[in-house]
Amino acid sequence: MAVIVSPTQLARELTGSPSSPHTPPTLLDVRWELTGPSRHPDYEAAHLPGAVYVDLETELAGPVGEGTGRHPLPDPEVFGTAMRRAGVRQGHPVVVYDGGRGWAAARAWWLLRWAGHEDVRVLDGGLAAWEGPLTGQVPHPPEGDFTPRPGSLPVLDADGAAALARTGVLLDARPGERYRGEVEPIDRVAGHIPGAVSAPTAGNTVEKAVGSVPRDTSGSAPGAFRPAAELAARFAALGIDAGTEVGVYCGSGVSAAHEVLALAVAGIDAALYPGSWSHWSADPSRPVATGPEPG
């Protein structure tokens, strides 16, 4: 099943074009910026017609507590309530988008798939690539019927991530300088999980969004996913083939979802470590590696 959708294809689906086999999907606007203000005002100013805003901090993540990491998985009941409010229905297609970077959209995609929804796609390039109409009219869709059934996608805890770094391939989706331990702007300790391989999310996308005129001015770096063959080649160079067990982590489990999505585009299944480095590094007893090599 497709995991991303082009702006052109989505436009066909939303207008009910005879050339599109899809029914019009439920649209979720999940614009978000790490350490930035809420993007809800931007949503109210302009969004895809029919899209409902979903807040990453309160609806796509749970409360931060001791030993949870910065973006723990949400309580399934809270997540389910948010999805039903947005009109999400079981068996009905969903398309999620953000400003263009793809991290937040991938987080929503991953959560819905993890919770048992089988037809979820990300708008490739996000709002920055969209050339269709926008509106400031906030919709109020009928209540959806989606009930989360967690467990449909694999999840790693700290012990599982450590083990996978030895027996398979554990990818670190953060920028290379954070992996190497040269800088750490957020978490307690700099470095990476011993045995993890550096694979920054920037390598998953092209430099520019598909659309010729950016529709998002947040300052995030827009970009559509590289073709599946290019992504497969990228991950093969990192030691991943059809039989490799793969896991991904990042700073707090958001950009790692983007890497899991990129792997899915390439036809590769991967587990997510939701707590990621913010969880791993919070425990001083856990080992830390630095430098360019897995360690």
Side-chain angles (χ1 to χ4, degrees), residues 169-173 179 192-193 195-199 238 249 259 294:
V169 175
L170 180 66
L171 299 179
D172 185 318
Y179 170 88
H192 60 267
I193 297 174
V197 176
S198 181
L238 295 172
Y249 76 95
E259 195 103 297

Side-chain angles (χ1 to χ4, degrees), residues 255-289:
S255 65
H258 188 277
E259 195 103 297
V260 174
L261 180 58
L263 285 155
V265 172
I268 301 166
D269 294 330
L272 177 72
Y273 176 18
S276 288
W277 187 248
S278 62
H279 176 257
W280 180 277
S281 63
D283 185 343
S285 70
R286 295 190 183 112
V288 171

Side-chain angles (χ1 to χ4, degrees), residues 87-271:
V88 174
R89 290 173 280 159
Q90 189 67 48
H92 186 84
V94 176
V95 170
V96 294
Y97 71 89
D98 57 22
R101 197 172 200 175
W103 291 6
R107 170 76 171 205
W109 167 83
W110 186 90
L111 280 170
L112 279 163
R113 291 287 294 109
W114 166 78
H117 201 296
E118 297 180 350
D119 192 350
V120 190
R121 292 167 294 161
V122 168
L123 175 59
D124 198 17
L127 187 62
W130 179 254
E131 295 184 319
L134 298 176
T135 182
Q137 182 176 355
V138 176
H140 299 283
E143 183 87 359
D145 64 2
F146 178 66
T147 299
R149 301 185 306 279
S152 294
L153 291 182
V155 173
L156 296 171
D157 60 12
D159 290 341
L164 186 57
R166 297 189 299 269
T167 61
V169 175
L170 180 66
L171 299 179
D172 185 318
R174 298 172 300 159
E177 59 270 24
R178 289 185 70 189
Y179 170 88
R180 294 187 296 271
E182 296 166 3
V183 298
E184 183 44 66
I186 304 174
D187 293 312
R188 188 184 68 84
V189 177
H192 60 267
I193 297 174
V197 176
S198 181
T201 55
N204 298 330
T205 58
V206 295
E207 293 182 359
K208 192 175 182 180
V210 175
S212 58
V213 181
R215 305 295 290 272
D216 184 87
T217 57
S218 65
S220 63
F225 279 99
R226 295 185 181 278
E230 289 186 16
L231 288 170
R234 181 197 187 205
F235 294 124
L238 295 172
I240 297 170
D241 58 30
T244 306
E245 188 178 3
V246 184
V248 187
Y249 76 95
C250 59
S252 64
V254 177
S255 65
H258 188 277
E259 195 103 297
V260 174
L261 180 58
L263 285 155
V265 172
I268 301 166
D269 294 330

